[in-house]
Structures are given as structure tokens and as C-alpha cells.
Amino acid sequence: TGTFPGLSFKDSGEELKIQSVEQWGGIQWSTMQDAFNGCANLLINASDAPSLVGVTSLARAFKNTSFNTDLSNWDTRDITDLEGTFMNNEFFNGDISTWSVVKVLKFDSLFAGSKAFNQDLSNWGTIFAQTTVGMFAGAEAYDQPMLNWGSFQLTNLSGMFAGATSFNQDISGWQVGSVTNLSSMFEGATAFNQDLSGWSVGNATDFSSMFSGATVFDQDLSGWDITKGDHFENMLDNSGINLNNYDALLAGWAAQNVKTGITLGAEGRAYCQSMTQRDDLINNKNWTINGDGELCSVRLMNGEKRGGATIWANFDQPVTTNGTNPSDFILRDSDGNYYPVTAQEDGIAGDNIIVLTAPGIERLGASVTFLLAYVNNNNEIKAVAGDVFAESNSSSASVESNFLFTWE
């Protein structure tokens, strides 16, 4: 009984002395901000819930603790601040899906460093959320649906999933039109690869490190409105953006009335078709683009039956071959029969042709349709100019290009 405004163990020197909460009782709290911050030995054995009517802050209430308890019966309807509530609690994985967060404005660092947390929060009503800075940063286990999240009032998503190495959920429908800061949002999020092409980011000014180290992220960002963007440092460094998507990005962004003097981080990215647009950004917009490089891969264009067991494979530029791995080519007829390519050699020096030998095709009758595919797993074919290898995909053996051809 009596008045009990709250308590705070933060920096008190007494943090490690409290062992447990056995019962919350009926006393009315006025705040839980920093209540048990740093209480690393704390266990919560209470089956009841604290009286939180009128309480607006749970900020850092259980930061740097290590308990894992069911808190599903807590009444959080008046909470507006959840900043750092479970930050650095490496064991908490309690079901808080029923918490009312409709009034919460700040979700910053809520589960940052909470390595075990992986609960469904898809029903949380975040309509008034303003900032989610570092909300799941370093939350290594978290990977739950969040499609219905988002708020028209969100302004800062900085570092939200930085280091969240399991997260890979569809968030394409998020309302981000008011967001100004997207810096480091997916930095080091090594599992994330979802379509964000429909995001309205026209008010964003800071994209720095947004996908840095997001090693599998490979999506089309060419349609993003970046005209208000000031910061793109390290944005794409060591991300998974492939040549086609990076080409599209440079072309799409160069077509906009972008700000001058921008530095774009693109360590490890490759471009080819967007060379002109990239030059325009650098020379006419005074952009600095760091870490990317030109990679114009040779591509198979068509084929031609030349008599006997010989086929000419025609590429889009002068090519040469090591001649050691003809299995990079796959030849199949319209009935599904495969014909192994047993040899490949250069045609006339400096031309676009590689001569293939495929025993068995010489015995076929007239009007046979073939599919010829170049599956470049071993970098056998390379351009004469610049010594640039064709793109390869050794893990999935994907077809680089293919065509049909028929002879009479």
C-alpha cells in the first residue's frame, strides 16, 4: 500500500544484489524506466503482473538482464516508450504478442542484442510509431512476419535490422513515406533479400550503409526516388546487388534530379550497360562512387549448324576459350534428348565464334530444333578485350543464356 512512484537500479551499485521478483502486488507504478537496468541476476518468478495503468515508459526497464519469463499478462495500453526495454538480454524469448503498443512512439533498441528473441509480433499495432532505431540490431534469432507493420509517422529506421542475421521477411507494404533516415537499416543483415522496390522513400535523406554487408540482398532499387538523399556512403558495400540490378540502379538514379557532390559506397559491385549513366553522375553531378568496377560479360547470342557434328556458338563480342571444359555447353533437342559437347575451340582468331563438337547430331534428320545453353561454371569463355570472363554461377549451375536454332 501507499505511494510507490517506481525504482531504478541503473548505476546504483546494487544491480547484482537483487535476485528475484516473487510477486508484483497491487501497488500502482508511475514509471518503470530503468527499473531493473543492469540487474544481471534477476529472475522474475511472479505469476501476477504489475499495475501499469497510466505508466508511459518501460524504457530500459530490463536492459542488461538475463531472465526469460512469460510477461504476456502485462497491461501496456498506456506505454509510449519501449526504448531499450529488453536490450542485451540474451535469453529473453517470452511471448509478448498480446501487448498493446498502439500508443508507443519509440521502439528504439527494444530487442537490440536480444540474441534469443524470436516471437511473433505481427499483431502489434504500430500506427503511431515514430522511431525504430536499432530495434532488432543484433537480434540474431529474430525472423517473424512483419508485413502489417509500418506507420505514416515513422521518421527514423536507422539500424533497425543491423546484424539481425536471420531476418528475411516480406516488409514490402510498409508505409515509409515520412522516413528521413534509413542509414544502416540492413547493415550486416546477411539473410535479408526481400523486394523493396515499391517503398516510397522520397523524403529520405540518409541512406548511408543501408545494405552494407547484406551479402544476399539482390533487389531492384532503380525506381526509388532519391532526390532528397544527402548521404549514400557505404550504402551498397559488399552487398549482394548483382550486375543487372546495379546497372538498373545507376541508370534509374542518373535519370533523376539528384543532389550534387554525393558519395556512393558500392564496394564489390559491378556495372556494364550503365557505364554512360555512371559517367554522367560522376562528371555532371560531381558524384564519387567508391569500390565498384566495370564487368561486361560475354553473352551467347545464337548458334549455327555447320555440318557433321559441328556447331558454331556465336557470342556478342570477340571471344576466346581455354578449351578444357566443353561441358559448359548443353545441347538438347526438342524431344528432350541431350547431346554432350565433347570439344570446344576458337574459331578464327579474334572473332565472335566458338566451334563446338557434339557427336550424334550428324545422324539426325532434317528440321530439328535445338536448345543450346551456355552454363558458365568454369569461366571457360572470356572476352578478348579486357580479358573479362562471362558471369558464372558455380553453386546453382544457372543458364547464362540460351537460344533455339533449326536447320533443314
Side-chain angles (χ1 to χ4, degrees), residues 54-357:
V55 173
T56 60
S57 181
L58 286 176
R60 302 172 302 280
F62 301 109
K63 181 181 177 181
N64 296 324
T65 58
S66 56
F67 72 91
N68 182 27
T69 303
D70 181 11
L71 306 179
S72 60
N73 60 345
W74 283 32
D75 182 356
T76 58
R77 74 184 72 178
D78 292 321
I79 301 297
T80 61
D81 189 353
L82 287 175
E83 183 261 321
T85 302
F86 299 103
M87 185 176 181
N88 295 332
N89 183 326
E90 296 187 4
F91 299 95
F92 182 71
N93 191 30
D95 181 6
I96 52 176
S97 61
T98 58
W99 276 21
S100 174
V101 297
V102 69
K103 294 182 180 179
V104 175
L105 306 176
K106 291 183 65 177
F107 290 89
D108 301 352
S109 302
L110 175 55
F111 302 106
S114 298
K115 296 183 179 181
F117 186 77
N118 189 29
Q119 293 292 328
D120 184 1
L121 305 177
S122 59
N123 290 323
W124 275 20
T126 58
I127 57 174
F128 293 110
Q130 294 179 355
T131 61
T132 57
V133 177
M135 183 176 180
F136 296 98
E140 297 175 354
Y142 185 74
D143 185 31
Q144 294 291 333
M146 301 185 72
L147 182 59
N148 296 326
W149 274 51
S151 164
F152 289 104
Q153 300 187 70
L154 275 173
T155 60
N156 195 339
L157 296 175
S158 176
M160 184 175 182
F161 298 104
T165 53
S166 296
F167 184 74
N168 186 31
Q169 294 290 327
D170 181 4
I171 54 176
S172 59
W174 281 21
Q175 302 297 327
V176 297
S178 298
V179 174
T180 59
N181 193 341
L182 292 165
S183 64
S184 298
M185 184 175 181
F186 302 101
E187 183 175 3
T190 53
F192 185 74
N193 187 28
Q194 295 290 327
D195 180 13
L196 304 178
S197 61
W199 272 20
S200 177
V201 298
N203 283 312
T205 60
D206 193 346
F207 296 86
S208 60
S209 298
M210 186 176 182
F211 300 103
S212 177
T215 53
V216 301
F217 182 77
D218 183 21
Q219 298 291 333
D220 181 8
L221 306 178
S222 62
W224 276 14
D225 177 359
I226 61 154
T227 52
K228 292 185 179 180
D230 294 310
H231 295 285
F232 296 84
E233 299 89 349
N234 309 115
M235 180 185 180
L236 304 174
D237 286 357
N238 302 307
S239 66
I241 299 285
N242 71 11
L243 185 148
N244 290 333
N245 279 328
Y246 187 55
D247 266 342
L249 180 150
L250 291 174
W253 291 7
Q256 301 178 36
N257 185 26
V258 296
K259 293 188 176 182
T260 60
I262 296 297
T263 296
L264 172 64
E267 187 69 36
R269 301 311 90 222
Y271 62 88
C272 178
Q273 301 298 325
S274 63
M275 191 180 308
T276 300
Q277 293 90 340
R278 182 179 182 275
D279 288 345
D280 177 59
L281 288 170
I282 294 172
N283 297 325
N284 298 323
K285 298 294 185 180
N286 198 30
W287 277 37
T288 299
I289 303 178
N290 293 326
D292 64 357
E294 180 186 345
L295 177 63
C296 290
S297 301
V298 295
R299 296 187 181 277
L300 182 62
M301 302 301 291
N302 54 49
E304 184 179 352
K305 176 75 165 56
R306 300 297 295 179
T310 301
I311 295 172
W312 282 8
N314 297 302
F315 287 82
D316 65 345
Q317 58 187 287
V319 289
T320 185
T321 176
N322 295 333
T324 57
N325 199 59
S327 62
D328 274 2
F329 290 92
I330 297 173
L331 185 65
R332 174 173 59 83
D333 67 24
S334 56
D335 293 325
N337 301 307
Y338 287 85
Y339 300 84
V341 177
T342 60
Q344 62 187 40
E345 59 186 19
D346 290 340
I348 300 171
D351 70 4
N352 295 24
I353 297 171
I354 299 296
V355 179
L356 308 178
T357 302

